[in-house]
Each structure stands twice: as C-alpha cells, then as structure tokens.
Amino acid sequence: MRLGSGTFAAGCVVIEVLGVALFLRGFFPAPVFSGTERQAESPAPEPSAGASSNWTELPPPLFSKVVIMLIDALRDDFVFGSKGVKFMPYTTYLVEKGSSLSFVAEAKPPTVTMPRIKALLTGSLPGFIDVVRNLNSPTLLEDNVITRAKAAGKRIIFYGDETWVKLFPKHFVEYDGTTSFFVSDYTEVDNNVTRHLDTVLKRQDWDVLILHYLGLDHIGHISGPSSPLIGPKLSEMDSILMKIHTSLLSEERGALLPSLLALCGDHGMSEAGGHGASSMEEVNTALVLISSAFERKPGDVRHPTHVQQTDLAATLSVGLGLPIPKSNTGSLMFRVVEGRPVREQLRFLHLNAVQLSKLLQENVPSYKKEPGFEQFKVSERLHRNWVRLYLEGSNSEALVNLGAKVRRQYLDALSMLRLSLTRRAAQYDVYSMAAGTVLVLEALALLLLGVPQALSSRAELDVPLLSPVSSLLFGLLLLALAALHVVVCTAADSSCYLCGLPWLAAGGVMALTAALLCAGMSALTRIFAGGQCLTQVGLAFQTPPQSTSRWSELDLLSFLGTVGHVLSLGASSFIEEEHQTWYFLVNTLCLALCHQIYRHCLLGDDCAPQRCPHTGEEFDGVAVALQGKRAGPEGWELSHAPKDPSSLEALRGPKRWMVLASPWLVLACCRLLRSLNQTGVQWAHRPDLGHWLTR
Ligand SMILES: [Zn+2]
Ligand SMILES: [Zn+2]
C-alpha cells in the first residue's frame, strides 16, 4: 500500500492526538461525584438506640438572610496582612474585635473563576477540563447550594460577574450581570454592582443576596498586586462591606434569627498579577463570616484558621437549613455552629459525615477499608449512646464528656473522609498514561525517521501490510500486549480508563500500538540496511533518484526551531509567554527565505543545477512547510514559485515581482495577526485590533 507524504503526516498527527487524549484522560482523573438523583432522598435521621428519637427533619436554618460578597482575586493578605490594616479598617476591626470568624480558605487549582465558583457552591473538586469551558460556562447541573436554596423557596438576587448568570440561568429572582471580558475596566464593572445596593438593602423581598466584584482581579491583571490602584480599590470594598453590615444590623433588631455576611475571594493573585496555577499567593484566599451569632466574650482572640474553599458549601447549606450538596467533599466549618446546643451540633456533624461517607461509597470500591469510614462508624455508635443518655433525661457530667468525645470523633472522621476523597480525585491512571505516551512516542519516532524524505513533495511511502516478517512480529506484539492488558485489568482495585473500554476499542488501541512499533522497526531496519530492500522490509520512501537526503539550512532552521519551541513549552517560568519564540521563529524563517530568493534572483549564484542538485527540493520543502503553517494566499503563491531557481532568472514582469514580494507580504500578515489579539501576561491588556473591531 502506498501513502503520499501528506497522508502519512496526517495519519501521524491523528495518532498523536489520540495518544495525547489518552494520556490526558489518565492524567486528569475522573471527578469524584455522586450519580444518584437529587430530590429522591430524605435526610438521614438522628442515630438512636432503643429510645425513640424522631428527629428526622433537617435542623432549622441558623440565619434569616445571607449576603455573599465575593471579591474576585481577594488574596488572604489583602484582608489579614498589612494592606488590609491600612486600606480596610472596618473589616480589620471586625476580624480583630467584632462578631466574626475569619479563615484562610485554600482554593484548589485550577485557580480560575468558574471552577472556583463551582467549588464554593457544590463543594466538589472540579477537574482541569473546566478551564477549557471557562469562557463558555454552561449551566451548572451538579447538586449545589443555589439550586437547593431555590427549591426551598429562597429568593436569590445576584449582581456581578455574568459567569453566575450562565451557571444559574433560572435561579435568580433578579440579576444584573457584568462582563469580565474587558480587563482594562476596573471602575465601571464594580459601580454596576454597587449602584443596586441602596435600593436592594432597603427591600425585604429577598433571602440571599450575592455580589461578585471583578475590579480587584482586573487591577491585578493590569498592574499586579503591588499596584498603587490596589489600595483605593480595597478601601472602596471596605466601605461597601460597612454599608451592607450596618444595614443588616439595623434590620436584625426585630428579627428572630441573625443574618450572615460572608466576604470571600474565589482565588488569589500571583506576584505577576495573574492566577490559574497553584502558588501560595494564588490558592490562599480570605474568608470572613460576619454575624451577630458569632458574638465573642471579652479577651476572646481569634486568629484566621486554615480551611478548604470547598468547606463553604456545607457551611452555607447548614446556615440556610438546606441539605448538603451530594458531591460535596468539604466539611462543615465547626466554629460556625459552636454556639448552638450540643444536640444540634452533633446532628450537623452527623449529616455532613453521612453525606461524605455516601460519596465515598459511590466512588471507592474498597470504601470499608478507608480509615475515615471506620472512624465514622465509631462516631455514629457513640452518638447513638449520647442520644440515648440525653433522651433519658440524664444531665450529668458523663453526658457532657461523652458529647465532647463524640464531637471530636466526628471532626476526625470528617477530615479523614475528606482526605480519602481528595486523594481519590488526585489519583493518576498510570496505565492509560503509559499507553498514551507509547502511542505518542511511536508516532513521533516514525515522523522523525521520515523527515528527510518527507520534506520532498514527491515522497511516497510503501507500507508492507502482508510482509511475513512484519505480520509475525505484529502478531507476537499483539499477544504480549493483550496479556499485559489482562494482567493490569484483573489486578485488584484497578479503575483504569482503558480497562473500562469495551474489548473491541481496547483491542484497537493495542493493535495500533503493535502496528506502529512494527512500522518503526521496519523503518529502522531499512535505514541500517542502506535502503536496499525498499519493498521487502519496512516503510520505504520512494524518492527521486537525483535527490539526496541532505538537509538545507532552511530545513535545519525549521526543524531545530520547532524542537526548540517545543522544549520551551516545558519551562514553567515561560508558561505565559511561550508564543514569543513562535513569533521569532516565523519571522526568522521569512527573512531566511527572503534572503534565499533574493540571492537566486538578483545575484544568480549557485544556480546551475549540476552544482546544487538539492536546491529545487529545498524550495519545495519550504513551500510545503509554509502551506501547512498558514493557508493564506501567500503560501499558495510560494508553492507555485518555480521549482528550479535558475528559472527565476527567466521570470519577467509581475510574476517575478510577486515572488520577490511574497516573503514581505507574509511578514506583514504575521504582524497583523499579532496585533489582532494581544496575548501573554504582559501584553493582554494592550489595545488590539480585535478590541477595536468589537467596539
Ligand atoms: Zn476570579
Ligand atoms: Zn482574573
């Protein structure tokens, strides 16, 4: 079977994509989530032994009204550090002396807005795939606090980042979304949220108010966390917080229940001003819960404690009297319920532990062996004893001691359950990763072996499908791979993606791996055998007899440049500016091409065919490469350039000028493309053509 070099390259690319996809499927583990129907179950009843406890309902809400003030990119030191003391005096007062609880909430990477909002409301650990969907966020279907609150008849109002409106299109009784697309605007985007406050705070027709301020994040993207703009923005946020808090306090006087004001950030801000990765500055966010329920006695010094960002979902659910979301992996922030009666405290902890252990059962086959699950069973038994003593009317010290013990046991169980679930969500699927890597490496080796000949447009490949040597090797390899597959998949506790595939699909992957290995080995044999047995063994390239496989400077430049560019992608410090090498390479290639053409056309040196037999091929190679890179009209012009440079001499009139001008045209187009959409941390905020066109 013969293949053109284009088909060969396309085939290799397809296999590469398949391999990379398989690798990524193993590298980014399947999310831990609950597959059961949302409304189906009633809450777990309070554990009881003998004596009849009939507390099967959910505990009542702790707060009448909840205001969530989310400030995008609110790093912990913006509130608890020196900046907070200087620019947020009211918040600092509340944190140090007021009735509040403060936390440093750790966000899990990717520290990007949409996955963080999801984590705050579902308590689950969203995967990296969410980054891709960040720009076009679909409706949140997973069980979450907002959906539960709406189902319970709570009226929710939202102002701020329109990501929320996309996530919850039908949940708010009133909303006003602001776009996060124009990073250069950090004033209007916040004023559009604040302008609603005066009226909405006077109204009584809502239960939950959510505000998402984007200004701070935009300042970070423009000029980083040390920018002089940060201070005034924090002061603005502080005065807004004061306004909301005073209004809530004045309304609370007649109400039965206190209200809750939660100040939080979705992610932090790196020293460069961006976010997305897992540095300390990006994952640590401030979280302050303000409510008169957290009244403190004189001399009560509270320091910010460390919690997970996902813990807020369970805490909000408890605060609003809602069931905890099913896929929640966080544990209740116990300090929030510390002021409640012991029976209620234990009930909250029990509900949280039941939810986490159910999630563990659904996601871990050997859940009974997990220490968290055992701990949960012990706590439940002790809890049962406590309830029996309590219902018998005992009021002794034993009851108090047992209560404290049950609470400690539950808290341990919660942290262990959370650990098991988090570990589960971060487990690599090594088998799929290895299979993907092997596929990618095989295709890469084949491509590299074929490069010298494939750069010539006349190359054709001869794939010997039925050669006896190849088919024997192929059969043996397939057998070995199948044996390996069976061994890996029957091993205990294996949850590999490949093992979950139907046999036909897994067999296809194995056959592909074996076939590629055969082809690679044949190509190697051919090279070492000096290319004498073109049709008998291996992958043969039919090249024109007069051309040799020597590489020209341009081939070398494009090959080494591409390799260098790929290597630069591995540098972590370069991760946001990697396109710069690409710009440099394309420009260099254009200039080198220009030099070559001009040398041939104007000076006419090296043109005699007998002196440089490979020049024609060289032109072909560049033309093919350029066609592949940009399918613009310039690429086509070049590909139609005369194959033999000596004929350039013969070209007269407009055609000659076209050949001479084409590299410059390509260069101009490259420049235009660059300014169409600025990219990279240092440049993204600069004005670009795309910006100007959409205006
Ligand atoms: Zn954000
Ligand atoms: Zn941002």
Side-chain angles (χ1 to χ4, degrees), residues 457-458 600 612-622 642-645:
S457 68
R458 284 177 292 273
H600 288 310
C612 49
H614 64 280
T615 345
E617 184 200 322
E618 189 175 286
F619 262 80
D620 269 4
V622 172
K643 298 277 184 284
D644 184 357

Side-chain angles (χ1 to χ4, degrees), residues 383-397:
H383 190 182
R384 207 168 286 147
N385 292 342
W386 185 90
V387 171
R388 202 188 56 223
L389 272 179
Y390 178 84
L391 290 178
E392 281 166 4
S394 153
N395 214 352
S396 63
E397 202 178 321

Side-chain angles (χ1 to χ4, degrees), residues 409-424:
Q409 292 275 357
Y410 265 132
L411 288 174
D412 283 351
L414 285 180
S415 65
M416 275 193 252
L417 282 169
R418 184 172 67 186
L419 199 71
S420 301
L421 286 165
T422 319
R423 210 174 39 222
R424 185 78 192 170

Side-chain angles (χ1 to χ4, degrees), residues 361-375:
Q361 281 180 40
E362 280 184 48
N363 286 281
V364 182
S366 56
Y367 66 93
K368 280 191 179 137
K369 278 181 249 159
E370 294 285 333
F373 191 77
E374 286 167 18
Q375 181 86 8

Side-chain angles (χ1 to χ4, degrees), residues 8-28:
F8 169 67
C12 282
V13 169
V14 169
I15 294 167
E16 292 276 349
V17 169
L18 190 77
V20 170
L22 199 58
F23 179 86
L24 289 180
R25 184 62 186 73
F27 188 70
F28 298 131

